Amino acid sequence: MKILRTRAASVSRQGLCTALLVASLTAAVGVSPPHNTAGADDSSPRPSDPQGKPHGVPNLALPDLAPKNPGNAGKPGGGTGGDTPDGNTGIPKTALAAYQNAARLAATQLPGCHIPWELIAGIGRVESVHAGGYGLRSDGSTEKPIRGPRLTGGQFAEIRDTDKGRWDGDTEYDRAVGPTQFIPSTWEISGADGNGDGIKDPNNIFDAALGTAHYLCANNRDLNSSADLDKAVLSYNQSREYVTAVLAWMRTYQSGNVGTVPDNTPTIPHNPAGDTSGTGPTRPSPGTGSTTTPPSNKPSPGKQTPTPQKPTPKPKPDPQKPTPKPEPKPEPKPDPSKPIPSPVTRLERIGAAKWETTAGETFAEPAKVRALDKAGKPVAGARVVFDIVGDTGARFLGNTTKVTAPTGEDGRAAAPRVLAGDKAGQFTVRVTVVGKDIAPVDIHATVKPAPTHADKIVRVGNQRLETSPNSAFKGEIVIQASNGGKAMPGIGMTATVAPANGEGTVKTGPYFKDKNGKPIRTVDLGKTAGNGQVTLPELFADDLSGPFTIRIVSSDGQVLIVHLTVLAPESTQSSTPKT
């Protein structure tokens, strides 16, 4: 009886800890308890944005209940005892770099969002446990794909194929993909290039992390606001349990209780498709620290140990005979098939002569050089140092100003691409060779000021905007602002319902609603998000039919006319039967 009472008390204390954690998170973001589903609000998924619909099985274990591995405490990367990819707080090294890189890029691209890296990490933890067990590589890719279930309906949403199988390998139905489980159609809108390789790949954790930041920051959200934070996480998955889990991990990481672990730490991968059969812990690649037990020198039981033999004495040399001198060995001749490596005598710059970009953008190509010997032949295996000198905030991808790269067989070495800082000006990438006192190569770069205005605003899509009297218009009206073809965030806009010619205003006809539900015909749309887009509020028609327009004006004077139609009511004819 005493043992039963002790176990019951233990279970009660664990449940109380969980309840207190959930209650604190609920208070922090102003949400209802986690067992409730989300209500309908502006974070609800829309037909063009199905990310919030059921698309897989997230890992909803909370930090205080996640399994721990005390054996890692005190080991390199072991953190505070329990830092494994599927344990309490450990994050694989590459995953952590991707989350922090995404938050840093978002601070430049989406300055009003204030997204912390810990929130992106919370999404990565709940969606795939930071890609643990999938063979995460240092370039952000994984050895095995991370895919959710086929979205055929039933337990999950039904989403027919939208990417022709490009990302999920399925040409009939969509599947959520990558470390943060993007649905392909959502990736088409929010996808980002986080590692600067020119490709937006949801299966790469650098790209997925930045895409997650773009998605959470949409609709001009400021994540310093608890309401916007709540809406952002709900838009990713319409579940209060999901909100609770993501924010619990975010708070844990913000508390500093986080360690890094090697990318190849053995762990059972979380399967967002929900099928864990046949999965098991992955093993480190050869050469990652595994040891072999030396053979034992103890005799096997039951076998006799042989008696050691006395050594035979060596014959003494005859003093009458001279000791022969050994013949000298000839010097080994060099193998003509193996050329002797020549030392580097100079560096040669290769690539574009003009190096410039706009503040906050990534340079189109990396810094590259070729190492040559005195005969002008390429030298392989030389260690080349690339060092950013200047005060514009420029950084190599990975948030560093100095990197070392080896030369290949052709003598070439390249640095990671450079992300320009938020300050205009000039800086230099200085290239030297480790252990060689030779003249450096200086690659001069220019950071141009970022444009602060849009030179064009357009409507996204071409769906006809029409409805019947006293009805709501179907579909969203999304406006895109750009400059030189690039999306422009931070552009303010207003929208006014106008007559068919686009001039003036109307007192009757289509209308928006103010916060009290009253009709208004001019609205302030706020500023465009990081993708340069802003969405108009829902539009309604009164009983007046005919053609109308919406006149959209940007803060820098660009004007766009969007045409609307309120259809005439269908006429009905009644006939009197003949007698």
Side-chain angles (χ1 to χ4, degrees), residues 128-451:
S128 71
V129 193
H130 310 306
Y134 285 92
L136 183 61
R137 304 184 181 103
S138 60
D139 65 357
S141 63
T142 56
E143 294 177 8
K144 296 180 290 185
I146 308 174
R147 292 175 180 167
R150 298 184 82 210
L151 299 177
T152 59
Q155 179 184 357
F156 305 105
E158 180 180 354
I159 304 176
R160 294 279 178 175
D161 175 62
T162 61
D163 66 337
K164 298 182 179 179
R166 178 186 181 189
W167 300 121
D168 56 12
D170 193 325
T171 57
E172 186 178 4
Y173 290 94
D174 270 348
R175 303 174 70 171
V177 295
T180 57
Q181 287 293 280
F182 268 102
I183 294 175
S185 58
T186 304
W187 183 256
E188 187 65 25
I189 298 171
S190 300
D193 179 11
N195 60 1
D197 63 358
I199 301 173
K200 299 177 181 179
D201 184 357
N203 296 296
N204 185 290
I205 198 166
F206 284 96
D207 294 355
L210 184 57
T212 299
H214 284 188
Y215 183 83
L216 295 173
C217 290
N219 299 323
N220 298 312
R221 294 190 184 107
D222 180 356
L223 300 187
N224 281 342
S225 160
S226 60
D228 278 2
L229 178 62
D230 182 43
K231 291 177 182 178
V233 181
L234 275 175
S235 72
Y236 219 96
N237 188 311
Q238 293 283 304
S239 160
R240 287 297 176 185
E241 291 92 339
Y242 186 89
V243 173
T244 299
V246 169
L247 296 182
W249 287 105
M250 180 190 76
R251 304 298 185 207
T252 297
Y253 297 144
Q254 287 177 330
S255 72
N257 183 24
V258 58
T260 58
V261 296
D263 294 337
N264 65 347
T265 300
T267 181
I268 297 176
H270 169 68
N271 189 342
D275 177 16
T276 57
S277 61
T279 59
T282 58
R283 301 296 178 190
S285 302
T288 56
S290 60
T291 59
T292 304
T293 304
S296 174
N297 292 325
K298 294 182 178 179
S300 302
K303 292 185 179 180
Q304 294 182 354
T305 304
T307 305
Q309 300 293 328
K310 294 183 179 180
T312 303
K314 294 182 179 180
K316 295 182 180 179
D318 188 348
Q320 301 297 326
K321 294 182 179 181
T323 303
K325 295 183 179 180
E327 294 183 3
K329 293 182 179 180
E331 291 290 332
K333 294 182 179 180
D335 185 350
S337 65
K338 296 180 180 180
I340 300 174
S342 301
V344 179
T345 59
R346 64 187 177 94
L347 291 174
E348 176 183 81
R349 177 182 173 182
I350 55 179
K354 192 174 184 179
W355 235 50
E356 65 178 23
T357 193
T358 304
E361 299 289 334
T362 304
F363 281 84
E365 67 173 49
K368 294 179 289 187
V369 295
R370 182 187 290 112
L372 304 171
D373 64 12
K374 61 182 180 181
K377 295 181 179 180
V379 178
R383 296 176 62 206
V384 178
V385 178
F386 297 84
D387 190 6
I388 294 177
V389 181
D391 186 25
T392 62
R395 294 287 188 275
F396 292 112
L397 291 176
N399 196 26
T400 181
T401 59
K402 181 181 289 188
V403 295
T404 302
T407 56
E409 292 297 324
D410 57 359
R412 296 189 179 200
R417 290 171 65 186
V418 175
L419 174 68
D422 55 1
K423 293 167 60 178
Q426 294 183 332
F427 67 91
T428 299
V429 178
R430 180 157 295 162
V431 191
T432 57
V433 179
V434 175
K436 298 293 180 181
D437 187 14
I438 59 176
V441 167
D442 284 347
I443 301 176
H444 300 290
T446 301
V447 180
K448 300 180 294 184

Side-chain angles (χ1 to χ4, degrees), residues 510-535:
Y511 62 91
F512 304 103
K513 290 182 179 180
D514 65 12
K515 62 182 180 180
N516 298 318
K518 294 183 179 180
I520 56 173
R521 293 181 170 83
T522 296
V523 292
D524 182 356
L525 302 178
K527 295 183 179 181
T528 54
N531 60 1
Q533 295 181 358
V534 66
T535 302

